[in-house]
């Protein structure tokens, strides 16, 4: 007896275990055998949750790998400056003098904001002999006086850098504002000085700090 008939016979026995082995010539047994033989044996279905768990585990591995790539990436570095425009037309600028080695992009953004202001790094006196062409008819209002409200600039030296508020509407019509900056290596501090000039100079000489030298 072939394997298929053996399997069918086992099904017949399972269908009525109280009876002896059926006679294959019996019409009832023959009909039941034909029905059993007509039924295709299906392979057992393997459970799928294991595959889903595997896919989940692989997805978790990808996330971990991606996180590992991010972990070894270079840390994000804050920009050396920022420019913003207030509703009243004033321009807010902040920058870190020790990192602003080339203010060209900053000056481009200031021009776009209509600040009429140029930021320049100050050089040692022996590297810049010329004096800035200041507007001799203009004087900065003294801080603490009522006239200071019309000053074209307010600035503070903070731990995170230089914070400047520029009011271009108070810069004389034919002039521009120049903001010079430098690092005092000996005092470990930042030096800032504004000028109202008739033309932008090619360079700015670093002023001599109190009790020190400009070099």
């Amino acid at each position: 007896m072939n394997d298929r008939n053996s399997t069918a016979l086992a099904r017949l026995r399972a269908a009525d275990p109280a009876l002896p082995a059926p006679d294959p010539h019996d019409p009832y047994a023959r009909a039941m055998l034909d029905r059993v033989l007509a039924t295709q044996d299906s392979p057992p279905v393997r459970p799928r949750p294991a595959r889903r768990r595997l896919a989940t585990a692989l997805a978790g591995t990808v996330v971990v790998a991606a996180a590992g790539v991010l972990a070894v990436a270079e840390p994000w570095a804050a920009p050396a400056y920022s420019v913003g425009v207030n509703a009243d037309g004033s321009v807010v600028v902040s920058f870190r003098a020790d990192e602003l080695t080339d203010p060209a992009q900053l000056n481009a953004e200031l021009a776009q904001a209509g600040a009429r202001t140029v930021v320049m790094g100050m050089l040692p006196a022996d590297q810049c002999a010329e004096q800035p062409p200041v507007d001799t008819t203009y004087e900065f209002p003294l801080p603490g006086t009522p006239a200071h409200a019309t000053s074209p600039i307010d600035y503070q030296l903070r731990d995170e850098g230089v914070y400047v508020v520029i009011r271009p509407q108070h810069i004389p019509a034919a002039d521009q504002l120049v903001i010079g900056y430098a690092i005092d290596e000996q005092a470990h501090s930042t030096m800032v000085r504004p000028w109202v000039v008739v033309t932008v100079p090619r360079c700015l000489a670093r002023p001599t700090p109190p009790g020190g030298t400009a070099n």
Side-chain angles (χ1 to χ4, degrees):
M1 185 179 293
N2 57 31
D3 293 341
R4 186 177 181 186
N5 289 339
S6 298
T7 302
L9 184 58
R11 290 179 180 174
L12 288 174
R13 290 172 177 171
D16 192 357
L19 296 176
D23 182 2
H25 299 288
D26 183 76
Y28 175 80
R30 189 70 225 179
M32 181 178 292
L33 179 60
D34 291 340
R35 287 197 302 269
V36 171
L37 292 176
T39 303
Q40 297 294 330
D41 293 331
S42 300
V45 178
R46 296 182 180 179
R48 299 181 64 86
R51 182 174 297 180
R52 288 197 295 268
R53 288 196 297 270
L54 177 60
T56 302
L58 291 176
T61 303
V62 173
V63 172
V64 171
V69 171
L70 293 177
V72 299
E74 294 183 2
W76 176 81
Y81 69 89
S82 65
V83 177
V85 180
N86 293 327
D88 62 357
S90 60
V91 180
V92 178
V93 182
S94 63
F95 63 89
R96 297 193 301 276
D98 58 337
E99 297 186 14
L100 191 64
T101 56
D102 184 1
Q105 184 61 36
L106 168 57
N107 288 329
E109 294 189 25
L110 288 174
Q112 186 176 8
R116 298 171 56 204
T117 300
V118 175
V119 176
M120 300 179 64
M122 295 186 291
L123 302 174
D126 59 353
Q127 298 180 25
C128 181
E130 67 179 272
Q131 296 294 321
V134 298
D135 184 348
T136 56
T137 64
Y138 179 83
E139 292 184 3
F140 284 100
L142 295 176
T145 63
H148 185 68
T150 63
S151 176
I153 182 174
D154 277 326
Y155 62 92
Q156 300 175 359
L157 301 180
R158 301 179 176 179
D159 292 339
E160 63 272 20
V162 182
Y163 180 82
V164 184
V165 177
I166 302 168
R167 304 182 187 92
Q169 66 271 28
H170 296 314
I171 301 174
D175 297 338
Q176 294 189 70
L177 180 67
V178 173
I179 302 174
Y181 71 93
I183 299 296
D184 186 348
E185 300 291 350
Q186 295 181 350
H188 302 287
S189 62
T190 302
M191 303 168 61
V192 176
R193 182 174 177 179
W195 286 270
V196 171
V197 298
V198 293
T199 58
V200 177
R202 293 179 299 175
C203 64
L204 291 174
R206 183 184 306 172
T208 301
T213 61
N215 296 329

